[in-house]
Amino acid sequence: MTVDVLSPPAPAERQARTAVAVLFFTNGALFANLLPRFPQIKADLGIGNAAYGLAVAAFPTGAIVAGLAAGALIRRYGSGRVAVGGTVLTGIGVLAAGLSGSVVLFATALLLAGAMDAITDVAQNAHGLRVQRRYGRSIINSFHAIWSIGAVTGGSMAAGAIALDLSLGQHLLISAVVFGIAACVALRFCLTGPDTEPDTEAAKEETNGGVARETGAESEELAPQREEKLRKTRLRTGYVLAALVLIAASGALVEDAGSSWAALYLSDSLHASGTLAASGYIALVGAQFVGRMIGDRLVDRFGQRAVARSGGLIAAVGMGLALAVPTATGTILGFATAGFGVATLVPAAMHEADELPGLKPGSGLTIVSWLMRLGFLLSPPIVGLVADSTSLRVGLLVVPLAGLMVMVLAGVLQPRRR
């Protein structure tokens, strides 16, 4: 076994890492500033639950509609510029949502904010993975941990604004300006030049069949072999991409189960108090944050494949036991183990998709991110239908099943470096 001795990152790379961290922080904080204001907006607009639900669904709808455009924008303008531009426009969309005087304007503003959020998400991950390649070791999980800190900060800002009796316009304008300026400053320290490094491009071209160097009869003789090699490469790329989508969707499904159903299951099915019921989602997010903080060290030590399989096992066993023996405390611990287990899944899938041969720069990352958001959109009604037919306890079996799926599919991820 050989040991790679990594040189310390250059100042420009350290600055770029800080810049990407700022972008993840602002992305987490912007929309989180709006969430605690939803009850006030609903009351101000005088709309019922059905109209409110349809309006709020505009955010993930915008993300799905615009998400596939991210790859083309990154190739044209660069991931740093796209991430910053998307951040500024997300802030404008959030501000417009807060100032909307009708449900139509509210939904339209959320549609814009969701579209820009999706593009920002892909671009900031693309730039983070670019910085990671320069570092020569895993750092992507730390960016996602910082996103979680940003989300908590944004929610805390909103709570503070409500306590200070700031109007929606004042509060969300401050949020948009502060985080927009932070993103613009971060752009100055992002990496310059094209997103795909020359050596990476060469490797992808070689995997696709390389550059034809043969001439005449020799070239004609080898042409069928090259075509067969290219066909096999495309088939494997398609299989790996599908597996990565399912891995990322599994992580998204577990996150959504915590945000959408944890409090309801604890309060209605297990008769927990309101405070205790809220602890389910908090436990999941807190454990996920811890998993992402240590995730890079674990990936460097054991490899993405082993970390994902272990995480899938932890999520499946932890939540499976909580559902098999239903108690409030056990369920909260089950959600915590699930959050810890899936902490590195989305970053791992995005990293692997960004390295796939045979795809244009940013395409694999865009596809995984886009289809993962479909998981966020579709999982609540699926769990709800199962719950209505049987019980919410049965519906939440999707969490251990997601862990088992990750264990089966984790073979497409990178093993430990030797």
Side-chain angles (χ1 to χ4, degrees):
M1 184 175 72
T2 61
V3 178
D4 294 329
V5 178
L6 299 177
S7 58
E13 290 158 354
R14 290 196 297 269
Q15 290 174 352
R17 181 177 183 177
T18 301
V20 174
V22 169
L23 293 175
F24 271 82
F25 181 89
T26 57
N27 183 248
L30 274 171
F31 192 62
N33 264 276
L34 182 63
L35 289 175
R37 292 288 202 163
F38 274 171
Q40 180 183 345
I41 294 172
K42 180 177 179 292
D44 290 345
L45 294 177
I47 55 178
N49 290 326
Y52 169 76
L54 288 173
V56 171
F59 187 88
T61 301
I64 291 168
V65 169
L68 288 178
L73 290 172
I74 289 169
R75 289 190 294 272
R76 182 173 177 84
Y77 299 107
S79 56
R81 291 191 183 93
V82 172
V84 172
T87 299
V88 172
L89 291 174
T90 300
I92 293 172
V94 168
L95 174 61
L99 296 176
S100 298
S102 70
V103 66
V104 173
L105 292 177
F106 178 56
T108 302
L110 287 181
L111 190 77
L112 168 66
M116 294 303 103
D117 178 76
I119 291 172
T120 301
D121 184 44
V122 175
Q124 67 188 10
N125 274 284
H127 207 79
L129 290 168
R130 186 181 172 197
V131 175
Q132 177 173 276
R133 286 192 287 271
R134 297 282 191 94
Y135 266 67
R137 58 184 172 85
S138 180
I139 60 173
I140 190 67
N141 289 289
S142 66
F143 293 138
H144 285 258
I146 289 169
W147 184 95
S148 299
I149 296 174
V152 172
T153 302
S156 300
M157 285 177 61
I162 293 170
L164 293 172
D165 201 26
L166 291 180
S167 69
L168 277 165
Q170 291 171 327
H171 162 214
L172 297 177
L173 178 61
I174 292 171
S175 171
V177 170
V178 168
F179 295 121
I181 291 174
C184 290
V185 172
L187 179 60
R188 181 182 177 187
F189 300 100
C190 288
L191 296 175
T192 58
D195 273 70
T196 303
E197 306 295 337
D199 57 337
T200 305
E201 265 305 291
K204 288 190 176 184
E205 287 182 15
E206 187 66 27
T207 308
N208 274 316
V211 178
R213 296 181 179 89
E214 302 84 1
T215 57
E218 183 181 4
S219 178
E220 292 179 6
E221 182 180 343
L222 294 176
Q225 298 176 11
R226 287 198 304 271
E227 288 296 326
E228 179 64 16
K229 181 180 178 181
L230 182 59
R231 186 186 68 83
K232 290 181 178 179
T233 299
R234 287 174 175 168
L235 284 174
R236 170 158 176 78
T237 297
Y239 162 74
V240 172
L241 188 60
L244 293 175
V245 167
L246 290 175
I247 289 172
S250 296
L253 187 150
V254 172
E255 290 182 37
D256 182 76
S259 62
S260 299
W261 303 106
L264 189 63
Y265 176 66
L266 283 161
S267 61
D268 289 0
S269 301
L270 301 181
H271 310 293
S273 65
T275 303
L276 190 60
S279 301
Y281 179 62
I282 294 171
L284 185 146
V285 174
Q288 186 181 58
F289 170 73
V290 172
R292 286 174 171 173
M293 287 298 292
I294 66 174
D296 290 317
R297 288 193 291 266
L298 292 175
V299 168
D300 286 334
R301 177 69 179 85
F302 301 106
Q304 292 277 20
R305 184 181 301 171
V307 172
R309 278 193 175 137
S310 300
L313 177 63
I314 291 170
V317 172
M319 197 62 193
L321 288 174
L323 294 172
V325 187
T327 64
T329 302
T331 298
I332 292 170
L333 290 174
F335 276 112
T337 58
F340 184 82
V342 303
T344 65
L345 294 186
V346 172
M350 288 183 168
H351 168 256
E352 200 70 29
D354 200 47
E355 300 289 328
L356 280 177
L359 297 176
K360 294 179 180 179
S363 295
L365 181 61
T366 299
I367 292 169
V368 167
S369 177
W370 185 72
L371 291 175
M372 179 188 70
R373 288 177 181 271
L374 276 179
F376 272 120
L377 186 64
L378 296 177
S379 62
I382 291 173
V383 174
L385 286 172
V386 174
D388 285 343
S389 301
T390 54
S391 69
L392 185 51
R393 181 183 172 193
V394 175
L396 286 174
L397 284 173
V398 296
V399 175
L401 289 175
L404 293 175
M405 181 182 295
V406 170
M407 293 176 63
V408 172
L409 298 174
V412 300
L413 300 173
Q414 289 297 318
R416 184 178 68 173
R417 297 178 185 175
R418 295 188 178 274

